[in-house]
Amino acid sequence: MTDFQVFRAELTCLAPGTEYAFRIGKSSGVYRFRTMPKKANDTISFVSGGDVGIQAAAVANNVMAARQNPHFAIVGGDLGYDNGRSVEISLAFIRNWSKTMIDSEGRLIPMVTCIGNHEVNGGYTSDRGKAPFYLALFDGLFPDKTFNMLDFGDYLSLVLLDSGHLTPIGGDQSCWLEKTLLARQDLPHTLCVNHVPAYPSHRNPLGVPAKDGKKAVNGTGIENRKHWVPLFDKYRVPLVLEHHDHTFKRTKPLLNGMQHENGVLYLGDGSWGKIRIPRPQDDLDVMVKTSSEYHITLHKLQGRERFHLAMNEKGKIMDVSHSGQRKQGIFRTQG
Ligand SMILES: [Fe+2]
Ligand SMILES: [Fe+2]
């Protein structure tokens, strides 16, 4: 669809906890980045959000995110809104990032992503050709499948999921998720990231049956709640980052859909650069807090504890929450 080409270089055998400088060819400026530490002896911090776009609010939140000096940033789908059709939008998103996502020491902030519906022409298909711009840049982690995990030392594992955009939620992906979570259930921080939320804050989670000649509307997150939530419950996932609904939300800690002190915390819902009004009724009785503000979340990992600070694009702290290590042995049937 364009004449542009992507050139890439893979750097191997880098030392952990080290700052590196590089340039591209002989005439570029010198860029710097740092690698993640081997051990989590000091606080690890990262930011997360989703649904970015290329408007002013997105750039303002980039600036705010970079000011937190995170080790990296997670974008949980709906990056630029290129819809698999617009190279201009895809490039504008990357340009904004490269200009603004630089920390106070002048280092580039790495981006970790999962796929959303606006990376894909049509939003939901099995054809990788429908996500040309996303896969051109991010298929390093997603060469065959659009889900994967990133392990950092013995302290952090990020599980990046595809909520039905190129891969169905159930089936192979859920089997892989179960194996992946089982192998990491004793890690202090195994965190999951997906685009469409299990517990939506703007859309209707239950759906509407067909009536008076009107078509039925599917509930949002039904597939997540059927296939993924039982695994999050079973394998001690303490935190799930969700997006797509363009609000701020924090749920109660949930096991089997109900409040439980040993439950899973769901944070979202993707308002880095796009906003909507939260749904007034809380059909599943799961929300603690929702708002229609732009936001990103700063996460701080300290030992086995986690602190989550939601802040808007002006830097105002909107919400502070904490998630600790979940206790072993809580299975869904006992929840
Ligand atoms: Fe979105
Ligand atoms: Fe979306």
Side-chain angles (χ1 to χ4, degrees), residues 50-52 77-78 81 117-118 195 203 243-246 270 274 276:
D51 306 84
V52 184
D78 287 2
Y81 289 71
N117 52 305
H118 285 286
H195 183 63
R203 291 175 173 84
H243 309 89
H244 185 55
D245 263 19
H246 304 184
K274 304 271 177 182
R276 290 195 191 105

Side-chain angles (χ1 to χ4, degrees), residues 170-220:
D172 286 353
Q173 184 172 198
S174 289
C175 289
W176 172 88
L177 177 62
E178 173 140 37
K179 277 187 223 136
T180 300
L181 294 180
L182 173 64
R184 287 163 186 75
Q185 62 178 339
D186 293 322
L187 223 65
H189 308 289
T190 299
L191 315 178
C192 293
V193 185
N194 48 257
H195 183 63
V196 173
Y199 296 103
S201 55
H202 169 80
R203 291 175 173 84
N204 182 340
L206 301 174
V208 182
K211 199 180 165 192
D212 301 333
K214 284 189 189 157
K215 276 192 188 166
V217 179
N218 288 335
T220 296

Side-chain angles (χ1 to χ4, degrees), residues 124 162-164 167-171 173-174 177 196-200 205 218-232 242:
Y124 304 84
D162 177 343
S163 47
T167 313
I169 288 174
Q173 184 172 198
S174 289
L177 177 62
V196 173
Y199 296 103
N218 288 335
T220 296
I222 288 178
E223 288 283 294
N224 306 46
R225 299 197 296 276
K226 181 175 169 192
H227 297 286
W228 291 352
V229 166
L231 301 176
F232 300 154
E242 311 200 294

Side-chain angles (χ1 to χ4, degrees), residues 8-286:
R8 64 176 94 188
E10 184 178 5
L11 308 180
T12 57
C13 303
L14 301 182
T18 304
E19 193 170 304
Y20 287 90
F22 70 98
R23 62 183 184 181
I24 302 162
K26 287 184 179 152
S27 56
S28 91
V30 174
Y31 300 94
R32 290 184 296 122
F33 67 95
R34 59 175 163 169
T35 53
M36 291 291 282
K38 187 171 184 190
K39 296 270 176 200
N41 295 333
D42 298 318
T43 301
I44 305 284
S45 71
F46 63 94
V47 296
S48 76
D51 306 84
V52 184
I54 56 172
Q55 285 82 14
V59 175
N61 252 338
N62 283 4
V63 171
M64 199 50 62
R67 217 170 265 171
Q68 312 312 316
N69 282 350
H71 284 87
F72 60 89
I74 296 175
V75 182
D78 287 2
L79 282 60
Y81 289 71
D82 66 60
N83 290 308
R85 296 190 292 269
S86 171
V87 70
E88 289 79 15
I89 290 173
S90 171
L91 290 176
F93 170 79
I94 291 293
R95 272 194 206 106
N96 284 345
W97 191 280
S98 65
K99 277 187 203 151
T100 54
M101 290 299 276
I102 297 168
D103 74 14
S104 65
E105 307 285 316
R107 297 174 294 217
L108 306 179
I109 300 168
M111 176 173 13
V112 178
T113 73
C114 74
I115 194 167
N117 52 305
H118 285 286
E119 275 66 68
V120 181
N121 191 349
Y124 304 84
T125 170
S126 57
D127 179 357
R128 285 171 67 93
K130 300 282 187 188
F133 309 118
Y134 180 76
L135 290 178
L137 294 174
F138 296 103
D139 73 342
L141 270 183
F142 307 115
D144 311 306
K145 315 232 186 256
T146 35
F147 49 90
N148 205 345
M149 77 274 170
L150 265 178
D151 292 325
F152 300 91
D154 61 355
Y155 57 92
L156 171 62
S157 200
L158 296 174
V159 181
L160 308 165
L161 297 168
D162 177 343
S163 47
H165 311 295
L166 291 179
T167 313
I169 288 174
D172 286 353
Q173 184 172 198
S174 289
C175 289
W176 172 88
L177 177 62
E178 173 140 37
K179 277 187 223 136
T180 300
L181 294 180
L182 173 64
R184 287 163 186 75
Q185 62 178 339
D186 293 322
L187 223 65
H189 308 289
T190 299
L191 315 178
C192 293
V193 185
N194 48 257
H195 183 63
V196 173
Y199 296 103
S201 55
H202 169 80
R203 291 175 173 84
N204 182 340
L206 301 174
V208 182
K211 199 180 165 192
D212 301 333
K214 284 189 189 157
K215 276 192 188 166
V217 179
N218 288 335
T220 296
I222 288 178
E223 288 283 294
N224 306 46
R225 299 197 296 276
K226 181 175 169 192
H227 297 286
W228 291 352
V229 166
L231 301 176
F232 300 154
D233 286 358
K234 186 172 172 183
Y235 295 107
R236 311 171 71 200
V237 173
L239 177 67
V240 177
L241 302 174
E242 311 200 294
H243 309 89
H244 185 55
D245 263 19
H246 304 184
T247 67
F248 166 73
K249 77 135 185 250
R250 170 160 61 92
T251 69
K252 304 165 185 173
L254 298 172
L255 268 189
N256 204 9
M258 286 182 287
Q259 178 157 12
H260 194 293
E261 61 178 18
N262 194 32
V264 183
L265 179 65
Y266 295 81
L267 292 178
D269 251 344
S271 62
W272 194 307
K274 304 271 177 182
I275 42 175
R276 290 195 191 105
I277 306 289
R279 184 173 172 79
Q281 66 270 41
D282 179 8
D283 309 76
L284 298 174
D285 190 23
V286 293

Side-chain angles (χ1 to χ4, degrees), residues 153 166 171 289 297:
L166 291 179
K289 205 165 175 182
T297 299

